[in-house]
Amino acid sequence: MVKSVNEHSLIDVYLQTQIKEVHGTVGNFTCKLADAQGKETEVSYGTAIIANGGESYSPEEYLYGEDPNILLSLDLDQEIMQNTDRLRAVSTAVFIQCVGSREPERPYCSKVCCTHSIHSALTLKELNPDMNIYILYRDIRTYGEREDIYREARLKGIRFIRYEMDDKPRVEKKDGRLRVTVKDQVIKMHVEIDTDILTLASAVIPRDDNHVFSELFKVAMTQDGFFMEAHAKLRPVDFACAGMFVCGLAHGPKAIDEAISQ
Ligand code: SF4
């Protein structure tokens, strides 16, 4: 797809480029671009779509960064794709959900992480059906048809343990291994799990440069730092100003199928 975009006669791709100025109205916009060497180019266009994506939250909690066996969901994807020796040796894997999401400073749900973790857990089960897998969650939000993989995970023996916001799991290193302690809300007792890897389902966060785009294109942002549509139901991909649209994670956390339909 990248190749076909790069080779398309009607598409110009500018990489390593900054937008310096934006002028005009719908159907007749111009913007000034500057490349890495400072060389400026002016581009005329009729409409603009802001689709600059989002980022993954880098946790300060759960010992992230202090042990190589503590991963983020995207790191685990890489391990799975490369089928690493470490992964093949894993006998127990733990996932902690809502890391950085649904907190006072980031009250929104990141929407993709429940599905992502369950999907990864099922892949680990395929690699090693005997692997013990625990998913520690606050709520499972596998909405729509994603509910099917939640059901499948339950059937395949992946264990789900619910924790409370005010009694989060604790992670410590014990005799060279990671130990996760969590209060199981069903039996009302703390459970200790010694694990080989711990995957943190970290929040989707807005990009730092969103405020730059917001000022350049005169478009609104939400309190969470994503871009705000004109009307959530009637104009869900338009900005309030004519000729400007938003798509994907720039607009807020969403799964790839939702971004594609936008
Ligand atoms: S999708 Fe699940 S893990 Fe992610 S923030 Fe929402 S409830 Fe938490």
Side-chain angles (χ1 to χ4, degrees), residues 167-180:
D167 192 3
K168 293 182 183 169
R170 281 196 322 273
V171 180
E172 58 192 327
K173 290 196 210 180
K174 206 85 181 170
D175 305 326
R177 274 189 103 189
L178 291 167
R179 174 168 292 177
V180 183

Side-chain angles (χ1 to χ4, degrees), residues 53-258:
E55 289 177 358
S56 173
Y57 166 65
S58 181
E60 292 169 4
E61 54 268 58
Y62 301 124
L63 300 187
Y64 179 67
E66 296 180 31
D67 188 293
N69 294 317
I70 302 179
L71 312 171
L72 300 185
S73 308
L74 295 176
D75 303 327
L76 181 62
D77 288 349
Q78 290 292 325
E79 296 263 335
I80 290 173
M81 275 192 281
Q82 291 161 7
N83 194 13
T84 58
D85 293 343
R86 163 167 64 174
L87 210 56
R88 283 197 297 273
V90 166
S91 63
T92 303
V94 173
F95 292 78
I96 299 180
Q97 299 302 111
C98 290
V99 178
S101 306
R102 304 172 68 212
E103 298 277 354
E105 61 273 25
R106 237 170 274 101
Y108 57 87
C109 169
S110 291
K111 288 183 73 180
V112 295
C113 17
C114 278
T115 305
H116 193 165
S117 292
I118 294 175
H119 200 265
S120 300
L122 284 168
T123 308
L124 292 180
K125 269 282 180 201
E126 268 173 37
L127 291 176
N128 176 3
D130 295 328
M131 192 184 295
N132 296 308
I133 303 180
Y134 300 85
I135 296 184
L136 314 185
Y137 71 100
R138 283 172 56 200
D139 294 296
I140 290 292
R141 297 190 172 174
T142 43
Y143 52 94
E145 291 179 1
R146 295 165 178 82
E147 196 70 10
D148 289 345
I149 64 162
Y150 174 51
R151 214 170 290 124
E152 185 185 345
R154 288 261 184 198
L155 288 172
K156 290 198 169 154
I158 293 166
R159 293 177 195 126
F160 289 80
I161 301 178
R162 184 161 191 274
Y163 71 88
E164 293 287 346
M165 165 88 172
D166 55 7
D167 192 3
K168 293 182 183 169
R170 281 196 322 273
V171 180
E172 58 192 327
K173 290 196 210 180
K174 206 85 181 170
D175 305 326
R177 274 189 103 189
L178 291 167
R179 174 168 292 177
V180 183
T181 306
V182 59
K183 186 170 182 187
D184 187 317
Q185 295 304 311
V186 177
I187 58 175
K188 300 288 180 204
M189 290 174 70
H190 282 92
V191 178
E192 291 178 344
I193 308 165
D194 290 334
T195 185
D196 301 303
I197 54 166
L198 170 64
T199 304
L200 305 178
S202 64
V204 176
I205 59 171
R207 285 177 54 110
D208 284 343
D209 56 4
N210 278 5
H211 65 279
V212 177
F213 284 88
S214 169
E215 281 173 26
L216 278 168
F217 289 96
K218 309 278 185 294
V219 292
M221 289 165 64
T222 63
Q223 279 187 337
D224 298 322
F226 296 100
F227 290 106
M228 185 159 69
E229 72 285 333
H231 188 291
K233 290 193 175 156
L234 302 179
R235 294 174 63 201
V237 293
D238 304 43
F239 281 112
C241 52
M244 293 289 306
F245 301 91
V246 62
C247 165
L249 294 187
H251 179 233
K254 57 180 59 64
I256 195 154
D257 54 338
E258 294 167 34

Side-chain angles (χ1 to χ4, degrees), residues 22-31 43-48 216-218 241-244:
V22 177
H23 302 285
T25 54
V26 58
N28 187 25
F29 289 113
T30 55
C31 73
V43 176
S44 300
Y45 58 97
T47 186
L216 278 168
F217 289 96
K218 309 278 185 294
C241 52
M244 293 289 306

